[in-house]
Amino acid sequence: MRLLLNPRVLAIFAVLIGAIWFQNTHIAHHSGGPFDVLFAHILPAPLLSDVDNPSAYVLSLPLPGALSVFDMDDKSAGAQLVLTNLQIFQIASILLIAICFSGVPGYLRTGQGDPVSRLFAGFALWLRDEVVYPVMGRDTGAKFLPYFLAIFFFILFMNLGGLLPMSATPTASIFITASLAGLTLAVMVVFGMITQGPIAFWKHLVPRVPLLLWPLMFVVELVGLFVKPFALTIRLFATMSGGHLVVLSFMGILFVFGSMNTAVAYATAPIWVGFAVFIMIIEAFVAMLQAYIFTQLSVIFVQAAIHPEH
């Protein structure tokens, strides 16, 4: 009980409940049937100041014509970038990072802190000592540790937040996973050029090969440079959206049976709910695993960019 009354724990609950409440009071009501309600969990939905007016956005910014592809709505009112439920849970994840880590520096200095501070200090030290330092070394790893800590916990909180009832999963959107992978690509290229030199970085993409093969190998290695963040994008997006689709599909079977025969739906409900709960347990593990994999691969990719083996 004392843990539940801890100010940081109460703040965590307030952020999560507030995000869920804000999302569900500012998205249009689904009228297409139960499947639309179920699968809206992994789809971006514009936040509306008036849920009965589909064009009354909580926040919208005009987009130039070149960026109109990112407009979720029709182009009748001009291309707009609108606030969606996915951004709400991204903001919530940032707030959770601030809350959970606000006591970590003090705990590491004095050894005194609440359970939340001790838990996340342990996570941070594990990430430093078992993920970053073994690959990059102490000196280089210390410089990049803030980035890897930020990206790990940002993905972790988005993944876990998406498992809550009536929430949304930002990492089930390929645009968000691509943006995260794009950050890693930017770190690879920028710091690779800073560490090796602007010309040496591109020169070292190609191992020692005969001169006639160099142009072909440069193209191959250049493609390989961009394949790495592409793999990060697809891995995280496919895993998180796929797991949710399995859970929601099991729940959707109930509605299929219910539309045919109510008695059959009630009789088979324990089976489908049991399957859904089982997959949800696996999903909780996968949510943490995918944050780790994304971070581990990012560490490897950045290390290879700043210190090539060849």
Side-chain angles (χ1 to χ4, degrees):
M1 182 59 70
R2 288 180 58 187
L3 178 62
L4 293 177
L5 295 178
N6 180 283
R8 284 194 179 85
V9 174
L10 293 176
I12 290 170
F13 280 121
V15 168
L16 293 174
I17 294 172
I20 293 172
W21 172 83
F22 191 84
Q23 172 199 245
N24 287 280
T25 54
H26 289 85
I27 58 175
H29 301 297
H30 300 282
S31 58
F35 284 98
D36 285 347
V37 176
L38 282 175
F39 291 99
H41 182 80
I42 59 174
L43 297 175
L47 297 178
L48 307 174
S49 56
D50 180 1
V51 294
D52 295 321
N53 183 357
S55 61
Y57 301 122
V58 169
L59 177 65
S60 64
L61 299 173
L63 286 174
L67 299 178
S68 61
V69 66
F70 296 105
D71 185 12
M72 294 179 54
D73 203 355
D74 65 284
K75 311 299 186 291
S76 57
Q80 302 177 78
L81 183 67
V82 301
L83 184 68
T84 72
N85 55 342
L86 301 185
Q87 277 76 61
I88 291 300
F89 283 90
Q90 287 181 282
I91 295 170
S93 297
I94 295 172
L95 293 176
L96 289 175
I97 291 174
I99 293 168
C100 293
F101 280 89
S102 59
V104 168
Y107 170 73
L108 293 176
R109 285 194 304 268
T110 65
Q112 298 179 349
D114 56 24
V116 175
S117 299
R118 294 198 297 269
L119 174 65
F120 284 94
F123 264 117
L125 293 175
W126 165 77
L127 197 70
R128 183 193 71 180
D129 297 336
E130 301 297 331
V131 178
V132 179
Y133 281 5
V135 175
M136 307 189 77
R138 183 175 295 271
D139 293 336
T140 304
K143 297 175 183 177
F144 289 93
L145 183 61
Y147 170 71
F148 295 124
L149 284 173
I151 202 166
F152 173 82
F153 287 103
F154 185 49
I155 293 174
L156 178 65
F157 285 136
M158 287 193 293
N159 289 352
L160 293 177
L163 300 178
L164 297 175
M166 303 177 71
S167 66
T169 309
T171 45
S173 168
I174 196 169
F175 291 103
I176 291 174
T177 60
S179 298
L180 293 170
L183 285 176
T184 294
L185 176 63
V187 172
M188 291 165 56
V189 174
V190 172
F191 286 95
M193 293 175 66
I194 291 174
T195 304
Q196 299 184 55
I199 298 176
F201 171 77
W202 298 106
K203 183 174 124 180
H204 289 158
L205 279 179
V206 182
R208 293 181 180 178
V209 295
L211 187 59
L212 290 176
L213 290 177
W214 198 93
L216 175 62
M217 290 302 299
F218 179 79
V219 173
V220 171
E221 293 294 339
L222 185 62
V223 171
L225 179 67
F226 289 94
V227 165
K228 292 173 181 177
F230 179 76
L232 291 177
T233 299
I234 298 302
R235 180 188 296 273
L236 182 58
F237 160 70
T239 303
M240 297 311 300
S241 59
H244 283 66
L245 286 172
V246 172
V247 173
L248 298 175
S249 296
F250 279 130
M251 299 304 295
I253 292 175
L254 286 175
F255 294 100
V256 174
F257 284 173
S259 64
M260 295 186 299
N261 189 302
T262 305
V264 173
Y266 278 110
T268 59
I271 299 175
W272 308 122
V273 173
F275 276 128
V277 171
F278 174 71
I279 298 298
M280 280 293 291
I281 295 172
I282 297 177
E283 273 251 88
F285 169 73
V286 170
M288 295 183 282
L289 179 64
Q290 286 303 312
Y292 163 75
I293 291 175
F294 192 101
T295 307
Q296 178 72 81
L297 291 177
S298 294
V299 172
I300 295 172
F301 294 160
V302 171
Q303 172 65 10
I306 62 177
H307 294 298
E309 295 180 0
H310 45 270

